Amino acid sequence: MSRVVPLRRPGLWGASAVVAVLVALVALSVFRNPNIRHDVVGQYQFAPAILRGLELTIVLALLAAAIGIVLGVLLAVMRVSSSPILRLASAGYTWLVRGTPLLVQILIWGNLALLFEHIGPFRTNDVLTPFVASVIALGLNEAAYMAEIVRGGILSVDRGQADASLALGMSRALAMRRIILPQALRVIVPPAGNQFISLLKATSLVSVIAGGDLLTAAENIASANLHTIELMLVATFWYLVLTTITSVAQHFAERRLARGSLALHGRP
Amino acid sequence: MVRAQGVRKRFRRTEVLKGIDLDVRRGEVLCLIGPSGSGKSTFLRCVNHLEQIDDGRIHVDGELIGYSERGDALHELHERDVCRQRAAIGMVFQRFNLFPHMTALDNVIEAPIRVRRESRTEASERARALLARVGLAQKAQAYPAELSGGQQQRVAIARALAMQPKLMLFDEPTSALDPELVGEVLAVMRGLADDGMTMIVVTHEMAFAREAGHRIAFMDDGTIVESGAPRDVLANPSHARTRAFLSRLLAAS
């Protein structure tokens, strides 16, 4: 038996040391900075107002993601349909929503009462509360991105799968639901996970229409006590918790979807 | 069982089928041979309406495929009716096209359960019998990626048979296989032929065409150049194009 001696890589060690020192310096400059009141951070980390904001951020993200997935799948199926009008409508929607800043969309939905005073028999401002406007703006925006992700997934499935399904007597809808979409899911989940993380962070934009989310709550407190950085640190902590949980969930979803794939069985 | 009359098909500007007339009797095994690009596979895909035809008619078991004739016009059938027609016609593909996210057994029972509304127990029972028939009783729980090409193709045959078709279409079923795996698939097909299944087989396997085929049709450039008993067509082709194709094939093998 001979021993394997790894190659010495002094450059790598050097670079690692430099990075470690830099990180330590930045961390120290924050923690030992006399302008940061760590007791304020601690005081508000679990404050009821912050937790209510956190809850609303989560609800907002989940609702918007649900709208995004349902509408996104619909838009994607329209995009690959045989009707040119459906294809064009889907492409046009994506063009419009992806081509404008989300902040602008949120402001438009939040101020829709200026355009339409009434929606049917209701006063716009009664129906379109900041929360509802936030859900709609985020959901519709999410749908445009999900549509592209789902479309990519559908296109990644071999055409032979549709042939085989149809040849067995399946309708196009059944083939899509049972054969094509489940396979597309493997390609869809990684970018959809990233998209959900973006969405979690994008919920913070609804603070511009007083959406009542985590950032709105933090800003409200900060504007009263002027501890802006401290409250942003409070928000930062919670956003990191949410995105970390999402990343872990995404990891497990990807592992589960690998069933039957080459990677799992390691055989061609 | 199958009657094609004047079938024409165009892709954009190129006409790939230039008037195909073909009859296949019940229980007959017809082997469709010819150079690649001659329209064999396209014709096969027209028989179960995976491709729409531009002119002519295809009848399977007396029923016009894909259209209904009212007055002097052909009306496209509703998807529901096309599905019903396709369900009675089995098809096996060159690249197997098994559903990779399902086990072999699930591949076989999917259509009987979802399309024919059979119970899971009933479908599974028949599926196991079919898998045993193609020699894969042990592989019911295997995913396609865990099977060899020959095994995958045999599962694909079982999957098509699960719908109890009256006609089987084979689109170059052994062309994507390693040479040593061709035999096991041809053996299953021979068994089917012996049981009296009506089959149209697009193939380059002349040995199979000679032994299991009742008739050979040679296609070139979108037309059927000649057809007849395998012995006659293979030994004494009457057309120069058939002779040229067969000698090229012989030289290659």
Side-chain angles (χ1 to χ4, degrees), chain A residues 160-161 163 166 172 178 265, chain B residues 45 79 86 98 110 146:
Chain A
Q161 294 291 310
D163 281 347
L166 297 180
R172 292 166 65 88
R178 292 286 306 171
H265 301 293
Chain B
R45 293 168 61 85
E79 186 186 22
R86 285 194 187 124
L98 287 183
E110 177 70 12
E146 301 168 308

Side-chain angles (χ1 to χ4, degrees), chain B residues 58-71:
Chain B
I58 298 176
H59 286 89
V60 173
D61 208 13
E63 196 177 348
L64 183 60
I65 293 295
Y67 303 90
S68 67
E69 196 160 12
R70 272 177 274 153

Side-chain angles (χ1 to χ4, degrees), chain B:
Chain B
M1 174 62 82
V2 181
R3 164 160 291 180
Q5 297 162 297
V7 173
R8 288 176 184 276
K9 169 79 188 168
R10 242 186 324 275
F11 286 122
R12 304 262 157 91
R13 291 272 178 74
T14 27
E15 191 165 42
V16 284
L17 299 179
K18 301 175 176 171
I20 302 286
D21 297 297
L22 192 69
D23 281 299
V24 185
R25 290 187 310 275
R26 193 177 299 276
E28 189 177 27
V29 176
L30 175 86
C31 292
L32 213 48
I33 63 170
S36 53
S38 59
K40 312 178 299 276
S41 295
T42 304
F43 173 71
L44 209 62
R45 293 168 61 85
C46 289
V47 173
N48 66 355
H49 205 57
L50 280 184
E51 301 286 354
Q52 296 176 340
I53 60 180
D54 296 314
D55 195 13
R57 260 134 244 229
I58 298 176
H59 286 89
V60 173
D61 208 13
E63 196 177 348
L64 183 60
I65 293 295
Y67 303 90
S68 67
E69 196 160 12
R70 272 177 274 153
D72 54 355
L74 290 180
H75 297 263
E76 254 185 86
L77 282 183
H78 192 277
E79 186 186 22
R80 186 177 45 212
D81 298 308
V82 175
C83 289
R84 182 181 48 76
Q85 291 181 334
R86 285 194 187 124
I89 304 172
M91 188 166 197
V92 174
F93 300 86
Q94 181 176 357
R95 285 170 51 242
F96 331 134
N97 299 349
L98 287 183
F99 307 136
H101 57 306
M102 298 181 177
T103 63
L105 185 73
D106 288 337
N107 264 275
V108 180
I109 64 176
E110 177 70 12
I113 291 177
R114 302 279 162 182
V115 178
R116 288 177 37 146
R117 307 263 161 221
E118 286 179 27
S119 74
R120 180 167 288 271
T121 345
E122 185 190 350
S124 302
E125 206 171 293
R126 224 154 29 82
R128 285 184 192 283
L130 283 168
L131 285 174
R133 179 173 174 185
V134 299
L136 292 172
Q138 307 305 314
K139 298 289 186 183
Q141 296 309 324
Y143 283 95
E146 301 168 308
L147 300 173
S148 73
Q151 291 172 330
Q152 288 190 54
Q153 193 61 300
R154 285 186 280 153
V155 173
I157 294 174
R159 177 175 70 176
L161 290 175
M163 294 298 281
Q164 302 180 315
K166 47 195 177 191
L167 166 70
M168 285 285 284
L169 308 174
F170 291 87
D171 188 5
E172 303 201 23
T174 58
S175 298
L177 293 177
D178 291 338
E180 77 269 22
L181 302 176
V182 169
E184 61 190 62
V185 171
L186 291 182
V188 169
M189 291 169 60
R190 242 179 233 122
L192 261 181
D194 290 343
D195 289 348
M197 175 62 79
T198 313
M199 296 161 56
I200 303 180
V201 185
V202 171
T203 186
H204 293 293
E205 294 291 332
M206 292 307 139
F208 174 82
R210 191 180 306 120
E211 291 155 30
H214 299 128
R215 200 148 56 88
I216 287 187
F218 172 70
M219 256 182 99
D220 191 16
D221 196 26
T223 57
I224 290 182
V225 177
E226 66 177 297
S227 79
R231 228 167 286 282
D232 299 339
V233 175
L234 293 179
N236 300 308
S238 51
H239 282 259
R241 280 196 282 178
T242 320
R243 270 197 295 278
F245 171 71
L246 288 175
S247 64
R248 270 205 309 278
L249 209 63
L250 223 63
S253 62

Side-chain angles (χ1 to χ4, degrees), chain A residues 8-268:
Chain A
R8 282 171 180 276
R9 304 176 67 179
L12 194 66
W13 282 99
S16 308
V18 170
V19 169
V21 168
L22 282 178
V23 169
L25 284 176
V26 171
L28 272 180
S29 73
V30 173
F31 282 105
R32 307 195 53 184
N33 190 316
N35 294 327
I36 292 183
R37 296 269 309 275
H38 292 286
D39 58 320
V40 175
V41 177
Q43 179 192 341
Y44 285 105
Q45 196 67 67
F46 297 93
I50 291 290
L51 291 184
R52 271 198 304 279
L54 175 66
E55 186 192 341
L56 201 116
T57 285
I58 295 172
V59 171
L60 205 55
L62 290 178
L63 283 177
I67 293 174
I69 288 168
V70 172
L71 196 58
V73 170
L74 193 71
L75 284 165
V77 172
M78 280 168 67
R79 191 71 184 270
V80 296
S81 95
S82 46
S83 154
I85 292 176
L86 292 183
R87 283 204 304 270
L88 196 67
S90 173
Y93 180 90
T94 307
W95 168 79
L96 181 68
V97 173
R98 279 208 313 188
T100 51
L102 174 56
L103 190 55
V104 173
Q105 294 168 28
I106 290 172
L107 284 168
I108 288 179
W109 282 103
N111 295 293
L112 206 67
L114 301 176
L115 184 59
F116 304 109
E117 273 186 42
H118 293 87
I119 299 176
F122 307 107
R123 281 191 58 233
T124 301
N125 274 337
D126 294 343
V127 184
L128 226 55
T129 62
F131 176 73
V132 174
S134 304
V135 168
I136 292 177
L138 288 170
L140 293 187
N141 182 75
E142 181 78 356
Y145 288 92
M146 281 306 294
E148 288 298 290
I149 291 172
V150 172
R151 187 172 72 102
I154 291 176
L155 291 181
S156 78
V157 178
D158 184 69
R159 258 214 60 82
Q161 294 291 310
D163 281 347
S165 313
L166 297 180
L168 284 165
M170 295 188 194
S171 65
R172 292 166 65 88
L174 182 64
M176 185 57 83
R177 189 163 57 80
R178 292 286 306 171
I179 307 299
I180 312 290
L181 281 180
Q183 292 181 59
L185 220 50
R186 280 189 51 215
V187 178
I188 290 172
V189 163
N194 290 341
Q195 188 57 36
F196 186 69
I197 287 175
S198 296
L199 174 63
L200 274 172
K201 294 179 294 180
T203 54
S204 63
L205 291 177
V206 308
S207 61
V208 295
I209 56 170
D213 69 310
L214 176 57
L215 184 62
T216 309
E219 275 184 336
N220 284 345
I221 297 171
S223 65
N225 67 11
L226 302 182
H227 289 302
T228 307
I229 292 292
E230 286 80 357
L231 278 141
M232 289 310 111
L233 285 177
V234 167
T236 299
F237 170 78
W238 284 121
Y239 282 119
L240 279 173
V241 167
L242 294 182
T243 52
T244 305
I245 292 172
T246 306
S247 299
V248 172
Q250 180 184 348
H251 171 74
F252 282 106
E254 282 172 28
R255 271 231 314 228
R256 188 171 154 70
L257 283 167
R259 274 182 319 173
S261 80
L262 306 182
L264 189 69
H265 301 293
R267 221 190 326 158

